[in-house]
């Protein structure tokens, strides 16, 4: 069983408690170790990502603490191969189902597929929900 690092816990600060709970449960369920690369993001950073093409919107769920980006961690290194993110998504969706959380995965998007990205649904989680401590 894997555990989140101190750095990953720090990167969950400001993220919705429901999403934090999903990430914390998913690390217990996963076949692939992972870490949190980013949670809450400020507007300046989001603008930079849009300018670089790393994001396509200024309405990112990262701006409200309703999204996280995860990275697969294999052999002591971050890895980006798609099958790893499918396995992480399986653990994230299993955790979300257990906890009754409405989760969306960037890997399921029709365009701009984003394997590391997980977010709470807009419908069930408005932008003004509380964040993790």
């Amino acid at each position: 069983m894997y555990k989140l690092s101190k750095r990953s816990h720090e990167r969950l600060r400001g993220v919705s408690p429901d999403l934090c709970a999903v990430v914390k449960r998913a690390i217990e369920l996963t076949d692939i170790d992972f870490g949190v690369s980013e949670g809450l993001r400020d507007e300046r950073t989001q603008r930079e990502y849009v300018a670089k093409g790393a994001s396509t919107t200024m309405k990112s769920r990262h701006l409200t603490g309703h999204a996280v980006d995860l990275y697969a961690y294999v052999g002591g290194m971050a890895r980006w191969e798609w099958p790893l993110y499918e396995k992480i998504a399986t653990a994230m969706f299993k955790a979300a189902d257990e906890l009754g959380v409405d989760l969306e995965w960037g890997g399921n998007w029709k365009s701009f597929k984003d394997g590391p990205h997980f977010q709470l649904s807009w419908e069930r989680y408005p932008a003004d929900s509380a964040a993790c401590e």
Side-chain angles (χ1 to χ4, degrees):
M1 179 164 43
Y2 300 108
K3 293 173 71 173
L4 291 176
S5 68
K6 181 180 177 185
R7 181 183 301 172
S8 287
H9 279 283
E10 289 169 0
R11 291 176 178 169
L12 287 174
R13 280 197 198 118
V15 172
S16 163
D18 282 357
L19 186 52
C20 288
V22 169
V23 172
K24 290 173 182 179
R25 178 64 180 133
I27 195 67
E28 297 172 346
L29 300 171
T30 187
D31 293 333
I32 299 294
D33 194 8
F34 66 81
V36 179
S37 60
E38 195 167 23
L40 183 65
R41 185 182 295 160
D42 64 30
E43 189 175 320
R44 180 186 56 80
T45 301
Q46 185 63 30
R47 285 191 192 288
E48 290 173 7
Y49 287 176
V50 170
K52 291 190 301 190
S55 179
T56 61
T57 182
M58 282 305 297
K59 293 185 179 183
S60 171
R61 297 293 276 165
H62 284 282
L63 294 169
T64 58
H66 291 88
V68 294
D69 289 337
L70 306 178
Y71 63 91
Y73 196 67
V74 180
M77 296 178 59
R79 300 286 297 267
W80 305 104
E81 295 89 349
W82 192 259
L84 299 173
Y85 291 87
E86 290 173 332
K87 290 182 179 186
I88 292 170
T90 297
M92 288 289 287
F93 280 117
K94 184 173 182 183
D97 286 344
E98 284 182 10
L99 298 168
V101 173
D102 192 10
L103 186 70
E104 299 172 353
W105 177 40
N108 287 335
W109 293 342
K110 300 285 185 239
S111 62
F112 198 77
K113 290 197 178 278
D114 189 353
H117 182 89
F118 295 87
Q119 68 182 33
L120 300 176
S121 72
W122 285 95
E123 274 181 44
R124 198 152 155 217
Y125 295 90
D128 60 354
S129 313
C132 265
E133 295 298 321

